[in-house]
Amino acid sequence: MRGRERERAEVLRLLAGAPGPGAHVLLVEGEPGIGKSILLAEAAAAASALGTGVATGRADELERMMPLAPLLSALEETTTRAAVARSAFPGGPGLLMWLAERVSTTLERRAAAGPLLVALDDLQWADPVTLMALRTLPSRLAGHPLAWLLARRTTGDDDGERLFGLLEQEGATRIALRPLDGAAVARVAADALGAVPDAELTALAAQAAGNPALLLALLTGLREEGAVRVDTGVARPANAAGPAGESAPAGAGRTAGAREAGETGDAGETGEAGECGRAEATAGFAGTGAVAGTLPRRLHAAVRRRLEEVSPRTRHLLEAVAVLGRSFCPSYAAELLGEPPAALLPALDEALAAGLLVVTPEELAFRHELLWRSVLETVPAPVRQALRRQAERVPPPAAPVAAALIAWDEGRLSRGLELAREAAEPLPGIPGPSGRRDPQPRAVLAAMLIDLGLLDEAEKITVGSAAEAAGRPAWAAAVLVLRARLDLAAGRADDAAEQAEAALATAAGLDVPDLACLALSALGAAALRAGDLPRAVRALASGQAARSAGTPYGRLRAELTAGRIVEARDGATAAMTRLGGLYDGLAGHAGVLTGEPAAAAWLVRTALAAGDRRRADEVVAAAEDLAGRNPCLPGPPVAAAHARGLRDRDLAALGRAAAGYADPWARASAAEDLGVLLGAAPGRRDAAVGTLDGALSGYGGVGARRDAARVRRRLRELGERRRHWERVDHPDSGWSSLTGTERAVCDLVSQGLTNRQAAEQMFVSEHTVAFHLRQIFRKLGVRSRVELARLAALSAAGPDGG
């Protein structure tokens, strides 16, 4: 009874109160093997020691048709003996009433001789008449010195739960036996092994997850089979190195280090299914090390007894899905077995009711790791290999990845990242690319890491995966998208745009809307930063179909970028009209705020520019909620401070954002907002100029030419001019003669923008645009905008149109 001190105290309290009047009832429940029967046995021994009478019985699944069987056996009564005593055997309902009365009379008689403990086990299998009797007998016999100790499993027992609930309402005490904690497991292991277990055996014992029955079967079996030896008071695997490093003699005990011929892998002997059947790296006793091998026979026997409680079809299903790993997706299991998912429901329900499986947030899983390993090991090796080969041919569904994206979309960033990391883990025991799952989980993980600014890890995943992209267009396109986003974060806007366009070309014809959305989002953001509005507008036009499909993760990010392009071209009011749905959905799709640096701040700024204070408030609330739900991540609180600082014109909040962002572009954005606010404050001009200079330097460092041009205009408004050109020798005519500014004007005018619109995009005056346009006409030898647009179109098809 290690680790059951509180429960033992409840039993003693029950026995102490038994001689007095009242219904003394203690209800005990827990999973199979958790120690209910041991607790009842100890209670019976304690009662006997106190001079209290004991009546013990248990329900049996095979005796459910025999009314009152647990109570009759506890009172050493049988229907035959009772019928002989009465000399008449009633039938039908009369028998049930007579038996119930007989039980009540016997209890009264036994209690008249002294206090009596009635201990009944396994009531999950009790017949309805027994449950009805237990519902009424404790209160009916409350005037007698009776104590009731009733135990049941908590798996698949609705009738027992109703009985326990009603008794608890009437004053019964209910205790749930929980798994043993680590300290109790260590004490049990020391008792069973006769010595303190070493680290490897401790890790092995942990695979019982605190279940005493499995733990004792494991440790006793290891000791019986000579798989454990004791050195200087420490229990170690029989083939592990001793204190001085020596190994145990060959053949010392049954270490089970070798597997059947032809099987792969010792430590790789876990399920190799895809991401929906995550195999856990626990093939050996402790996953690695000297005790890696098969489990002891005693444990297999204990698990086999558990499996005998379910139908053969359910046992066969459990054996088949064990190759998928400890956890698995029902839909994947159905596909593997060639059956519709609905056909598996009865067997899965039975396994859940028997406590063999449990429900996790995303999948089903074997309740204990040792249970899973035992089932897996008892499948014959040829069958196991055949099932694994079949699993390799069945493409796994993307349930874990979908769950990660859903969590991210909802703003549960830490959970989304955790799920993505799990899905992206290599298969245990299989080195190299063959041990990898489908590339999608790693692409999603890398994208999330980029969102969080963890660029080194994202870079490592991207570089490591590029070699696997050969012959896989979707994966090749995903690598290019990741490269584009990494280039953008590193300040290589032109390179980012090229990578994004290459991703779109690679993904052409593939039905992967999320990939297209993310590529277009990267292309649009890169083009805007580079000051190439025409390129951004082309991306906006080509992405309409992709933005109407896909998951919110990709679609809403593309919508955000589309809104930024519309705002750059047509102003804040037009952007607000386009982005109404995104604003309204932030409560349920807060993950979109992580799609690009300072997204929340941009949404607030745009809403305020359009005069929509309500939506600015909604963005701030969503950003602060995102920060509150992810306290361990540094980025969300900084983004929330930036958004709030803009809305409230709060210098301190904007200062924290400008200092707190890890992303240099976002840091420059916050510094720009702070400089604007300082510039509007009396006597703060010098501070404003210094802050805007910092923003200008930050934008320049990441190639954000459009943003840098906007900051130079702000400085001009404060009476400061900053040089932004370099002296470069150009030919006298042709496309190569155009300066960078002239090329920008040419692109804008060729797209049909007026001089005023082009000036707004470049943050210069109309006169400046007109001057550069005259220079362009002279160098290219054209006389009108129409000729310029035609020449620009021809130039786009070749290296030089001049």
Side-chain angles (χ1 to χ4, degrees):
M1 292 298 293
R2 297 290 195 183
R4 300 295 188 212
E5 290 76 15
R6 183 181 67 84
E7 292 81 359
R8 190 198 303 269
E10 289 290 348
V11 168
L12 294 177
R13 191 175 298 114
L14 172 75
L15 296 175
H24 307 289
V25 184
L26 180 61
L27 310 173
V28 180
E29 60 189 9
E31 66 178 74
I34 201 65
K36 301 180 296 297
S37 299
I38 295 177
L39 182 63
L40 265 63
E42 291 229 349
S48 297
L50 293 171
T52 298
V54 178
T56 61
R58 69 174 58 243
D60 190 293
E61 190 174 17
L62 299 179
E63 295 181 352
R64 299 189 81 167
M65 299 302 293
M66 297 178 61
L68 292 169
L71 279 165
L72 290 170
S73 64
L75 298 172
E76 299 180 350
E77 293 277 355
T78 66
T79 54
T80 303
R81 287 176 54 193
V84 170
R86 192 174 186 274
S87 73
F89 197 84
L95 172 63
L96 301 181
M97 295 178 61
W98 178 71
L99 287 173
E101 187 62 32
R102 182 77 185 186
V103 167
S104 178
T105 301
T106 302
L107 283 170
E108 291 177 355
R109 175 173 51 80
R110 293 277 300 271
L116 177 66
L117 170 68
V118 181
L120 302 178
D121 200 0
D122 287 334
L123 290 178
Q124 71 277 359
W125 289 321
D127 61 278
V129 182
T130 296
L131 296 175
M132 291 179 61
L134 293 175
R135 170 71 182 87
T136 59
L137 284 173
S139 57
R140 179 179 171 183
L141 301 176
H144 296 77
L146 276 171
W148 300 82
L149 181 55
L150 310 178
R152 72 177 188 100
R153 290 184 185 178
T154 51
T155 52
D157 177 26
D158 293 339
D159 291 338
E161 169 57 32
R162 280 191 288 272
L163 171 66
F164 274 36
L166 291 170
L167 292 175
E168 189 177 22
Q169 289 176 16
E170 295 180 355
T173 299
R174 187 190 316 213
I175 57 176
L177 294 183
R178 305 296 182 191
L180 300 178
D181 60 22
V185 168
R187 294 199 298 272
V188 171
D191 292 341
L193 299 173
V196 176
D198 71 350
E200 196 164 356
L201 287 174
T202 298
L204 170 60
Q207 293 183 18
N211 185 281
L214 288 177
L215 180 62
L216 286 170
L218 169 71
L219 298 174
T220 304
L222 289 175
R223 190 188 61 209
E224 291 172 344
E225 297 178 15
V228 175
R229 63 189 177 94
V230 176
D231 290 311
T232 62
V234 177
R236 295 183 175 85
N239 61 339
E246 75 276 6
S247 297
R254 179 178 178 274
T255 63
R259 298 188 179 275
E260 297 90 343
E263 286 195 61
T264 59
D266 296 340
E269 185 68 26
T270 55
E272 290 118 341
E275 58 193 53
C276 197
R278 284 196 304 278
E280 303 189 17
T282 50
F285 284 160
T288 59
V291 292
T294 56
L295 297 169
R297 289 186 294 271
R298 179 182 283 269
L299 178 66
H300 286 314
V303 171
R304 188 164 56 250
R305 287 193 294 273
R306 292 282 310 277
L307 294 176
E308 287 171 354
E309 297 175 4
V310 298
S311 66
R313 173 170 172 75
T314 299
R315 287 199 301 273
H316 296 157
L317 173 63
L318 293 173
E319 290 167 353
V321 299
V323 303
L324 303 180
R326 183 178 169 187
S327 61
F328 62 93
C329 287
S331 58
Y332 186 31
E335 191 170 358
L336 175 67
L337 298 175
E339 297 189 46
L344 301 186
L345 288 179
L348 292 174
D349 284 343
E350 185 179 21
L352 289 165
L356 298 168
L357 297 179
V358 293
V359 178
T360 70
E362 287 83 34
E363 302 174 323
L364 298 179
F366 285 84
R367 180 178 284 273
H368 303 97
E369 189 167 343
L370 284 178
L371 173 65
W372 162 59
R373 287 186 52 204
S374 177
V375 173
L376 181 64
E377 287 186 9
T378 53
V379 177
V383 177
R384 197 156 57 227
Q385 291 173 347
L387 286 169
R388 284 176 173 163
R389 284 193 292 269
Q390 183 176 349
E392 290 172 356
R393 294 193 295 269
V394 177
V401 175
L405 291 174
I406 289 171
W408 199 266
D409 178 52
E410 292 174 348
R412 296 181 289 120
L413 306 183
S414 296
R415 178 57 177 160
L417 186 63
E418 178 187 2
L419 288 170
R421 287 191 188 280
E422 291 177 5
E425 288 177 355
L427 292 170
I430 303 181
S434 61
R436 296 286 187 180
R437 293 186 170 89
D438 187 85
Q440 186 194 11
R442 279 169 290 143
V444 170
L445 174 60
M448 291 177 175
L449 293 169
I450 293 171
D451 278 358
L452 297 176
L454 303 175
L455 303 184
D456 289 342
E457 187 178 355
E459 175 80 23
K460 183 177 179 181
I461 293 173
T462 303
V463 171
S465 301
E468 301 172 34
R472 310 175 79 172
W475 185 219
V479 170
L480 289 169
V481 170
L482 295 173
R483 285 254 59 97
R485 295 195 62 198
L486 285 166
D487 282 340
L488 194 60
R492 299 184 293 268
D494 293 329
D495 291 343
E498 295 297 334
Q499 295 278 10
E501 288 193 332
L504 288 171
T506 304
L510 299 176
D511 185 19
V512 191
D514 268 4
L515 190 57
C517 283
L518 293 171
L520 289 165
S521 180
L523 175 58
L528 277 182
R529 285 203 194 174
D532 192 345
L533 183 62
R535 195 178 202 177
V537 170
R538 289 195 296 271
L540 173 67
S542 63
Q544 186 59 46
R547 289 196 303 274
S548 64
T551 66
Y553 178 85
R555 177 170 47 81
L556 291 176
R557 287 157 187 264
E559 280 297 327
L560 177 64
T561 302
R564 298 197 68 165
I565 295 170
V566 170
E567 187 270 338
R569 184 186 62 187
D570 302 321
T573 301
M576 290 297 296
T577 300
R578 183 182 190 95
L579 293 175
L582 188 148
Y583 277 96
D584 293 338
L586 279 177
H589 300 290
V592 71
L593 297 180
T594 67
E596 61 177 83
W602 181 84
L603 288 168
V604 169
R605 191 184 303 110
T606 304
L608 293 176
D612 195 335
R613 175 81 182 195
R614 177 182 64 83
R615 282 190 164 146
D617 291 340
E618 291 172 353
V619 176
V620 173
E624 292 185 333
D625 179 66
L626 187 67
R629 294 166 70 182
N630 299 276
C632 297
L633 299 177
V638 178
H642 191 178
R644 185 175 62 255
L646 272 171
R647 182 196 62 182
D648 299 342
R649 300 179 64 81
D650 184 337
L651 289 170
L654 290 176
R656 288 195 298 274
Y661 274 121
D663 182 272
W665 183 89
R667 200 160 53 243
S669 174
E672 180 185 359
D673 289 324
L674 177 60
V676 170
L677 193 56
L678 287 168
R684 305 298 297 273
R685 178 187 175 281
D686 289 346
V689 170
T691 303
L692 290 173
D693 274 336
L696 181 62
S697 176
Y699 284 139
V702 295
R705 293 189 287 272
R706 183 173 188 273
D707 300 305
R710 184 180 60 248
V711 173
R712 282 193 294 270
R713 184 192 66 186
R714 297 190 189 283
L715 286 166
R716 286 197 301 272
E717 291 169 353
L718 292 173
E720 299 286 331
R721 290 188 174 273
R722 299 291 182 267
R723 178 178 176 179
H724 63 281
W725 61 86
E726 295 180 359
R727 180 80 181 174
V728 179
D729 292 331
H730 294 281
D732 292 333
S733 62
W735 285 105
S736 56
S737 69
L738 300 183
T739 66
T741 302
E742 290 168 349
R743 284 182 176 274
V745 171
C746 180
D747 287 338
L748 294 170
V749 171
S750 298
Q751 293 293 320
L753 274 67
T754 65
N755 286 7
R756 172 174 292 183
Q757 291 170 327
E760 291 173 352
Q761 293 303 317
M762 299 179 66
F763 305 103
V764 296
S765 68
E766 288 185 61
H767 297 296
T768 300
V769 171
F771 169 79
H772 286 300
L773 192 58
R774 289 194 295 272
Q775 295 295 98
I776 293 167
F777 281 10
R778 178 183 63 78
K779 292 179 178 181
L780 297 182
V782 298
R783 298 185 179 184
S784 69
R785 293 171 180 265
V786 174
E787 287 185 70
L788 178 61
R790 179 182 62 80
L791 196 58
L794 292 173
S795 173
D800 195 326

